[in-house]
């Protein structure tokens, strides 16, 4: 996709973060992390997304990325500085460098790969890897508004198929869940419209 190479070539920020959880949401990352640069969909090989990130101070569990050579996850590639605001948001993770070879932009024309590889080599890619893997329990449940934030981000940039990929490429869905839509407990919850909420409920009911 020449559009991807062209988009990358216009970016002045040389660090890119793979947003695979709440950073998928444009609204959440703009309002709570002051990240206003648009992202592009990407699949990262070598990492498994799972419900394993416990936030002690927020009393809930989030998705995390864990190194796994046999897994992959869908994400948004977001140009941004790894600044104090982002580091605070990702305090339960460590920033791990990702090889450009692990990124898949779903290229369909073989002659576009070479120029894209040349452009990718100009950037450093990062993913937030979970510091300590701990599954959700009743004391540290998963909150619905966090799921809504992640899946609404998928719906925004890739529609139903992208949201389905999030669900398929995420492990440990059997967890205690709190429906907090009327009183959000997730501190970086996105504003999600009714249509997306209905789509999210339909997708989750199929699991």
């Amino acid at each position: 996709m020449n559009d991807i190479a062209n988009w990358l070539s216009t970016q002045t920020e040389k660090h890119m973060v793979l947003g695979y959880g709440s950073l998928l949401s444009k609204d959440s990352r703009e309002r709570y992390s002051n990240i206003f640069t648009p992202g592009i969909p990407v699949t990262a090989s070598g990492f498994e997304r799972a419900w394993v990130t416990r936030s002690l101070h927020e009393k809930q569990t989030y998705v995390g990325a864990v190194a796994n050579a046999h897994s992959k996850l869908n994400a948004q590639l977001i140009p941004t500085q790894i600044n104090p605001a982002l580091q605070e948001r990702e305090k339960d993770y460590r920033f791990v460098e990702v090889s450009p070879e692990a990124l898949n932009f779903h290229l369909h024309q073989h002659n576009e790969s070479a120029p894209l590889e040349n452009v990718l080599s100009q950037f450093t890619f990062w993913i937030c890897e979970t510091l300590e893997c701990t599954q959700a329990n009743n004391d540290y449940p998963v909150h619905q508004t966090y799921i809504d934030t992640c899946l609404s981000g998928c719906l925004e940039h890739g529609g139903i198929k992208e949201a389905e990929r999030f669900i398929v490429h995420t492990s440990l869905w059997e967890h205690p869940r709190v429906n907090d839509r009327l009183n959000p407990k997730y501190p970086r919850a996105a504003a999600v419209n009714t249509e997306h909420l209905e789509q999210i409920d339909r997708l989750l009911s199929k699991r």
Side-chain angles (χ1 to χ4, degrees):
M1 295 178 183
N2 283 327
D3 286 348
I4 294 174
N6 292 337
W7 179 82
L8 287 168
S9 65
T10 65
Q11 302 303 311
T12 56
E13 178 54 60
K14 297 305 180 184
H15 290 276
M16 296 209 177
V17 171
L18 279 77
Y20 61 85
S22 61
L23 283 174
L24 288 163
S25 166
K26 178 177 181 290
D27 177 64
S28 180
R29 64 178 185 255
E30 286 185 353
R31 282 201 288 140
Y32 300 106
S33 297
N34 294 315
I35 297 174
F36 297 97
T37 49
I40 54 174
V42 65
T43 298
S45 299
F47 293 92
E48 177 182 3
R49 178 173 47 216
W51 294 100
V52 293
T53 304
R54 175 173 294 182
S55 174
L56 296 176
H57 57 292
E58 293 172 2
K59 297 293 185 181
Q60 48 194 299
T61 300
Y62 304 132
V63 291
V66 182
N68 184 334
H70 305 292
S71 295
K72 61 184 178 181
L73 56 82
N74 56 322
Q76 277 268 312
L77 196 59
I78 304 166
T80 183
Q81 296 178 358
I82 302 178
N83 56 28
L86 183 59
Q87 289 174 325
E88 173 64 21
R89 179 176 182 138
E90 309 297 350
K91 65 172 65 176
D92 297 306
Y93 305 82
R94 56 176 165 262
F95 287 87
V96 173
E97 190 169 348
V98 178
S99 167
E101 288 74 26
L103 305 179
N104 183 351
F105 295 90
H106 313 292
L107 298 175
H108 298 292
Q109 299 182 28
H110 64 84
N111 61 343
E112 292 174 342
S113 297
L116 179 57
E117 289 174 2
N118 294 338
V119 176
L120 290 175
S121 66
Q122 303 171 25
F123 298 88
T124 304
F125 302 95
W126 304 93
I127 194 167
C128 292
E129 189 176 46
T130 298
L131 285 171
E132 181 178 347
C133 294
T134 310
Q135 294 186 35
N137 60 23
N138 289 325
D139 292 326
Y140 296 90
V142 175
H143 284 70
Q144 185 65 49
T145 54
Y146 177 75
I147 298 176
D148 293 343
T149 298
C150 298
L151 289 178
S152 66
C154 293
L155 292 169
E156 287 168 7
H157 69 252
I160 294 291
K161 292 296 184 184
E162 192 70 7
E164 289 175 338
R165 278 191 282 270
F166 180 97
I167 293 171
V168 168
H169 295 301
T170 304
S171 302
L172 303 176
W173 277 98
E174 300 305 319
H175 52 235
R177 186 187 309 171
V178 175
N179 185 348
D180 61 330
R181 283 177 175 168
L182 295 180
N183 183 24
K185 301 299 184 184
Y186 173 53
R188 293 166 294 282
V192 183
N193 63 47
T194 301
E195 180 184 0
H196 279 178
L197 290 176
E198 292 173 350
Q199 290 174 325
I200 289 167
D201 287 342
R202 283 196 295 271
L203 288 169
L204 294 176
S205 71
K206 297 176 182 178
R207 286 193 50 262

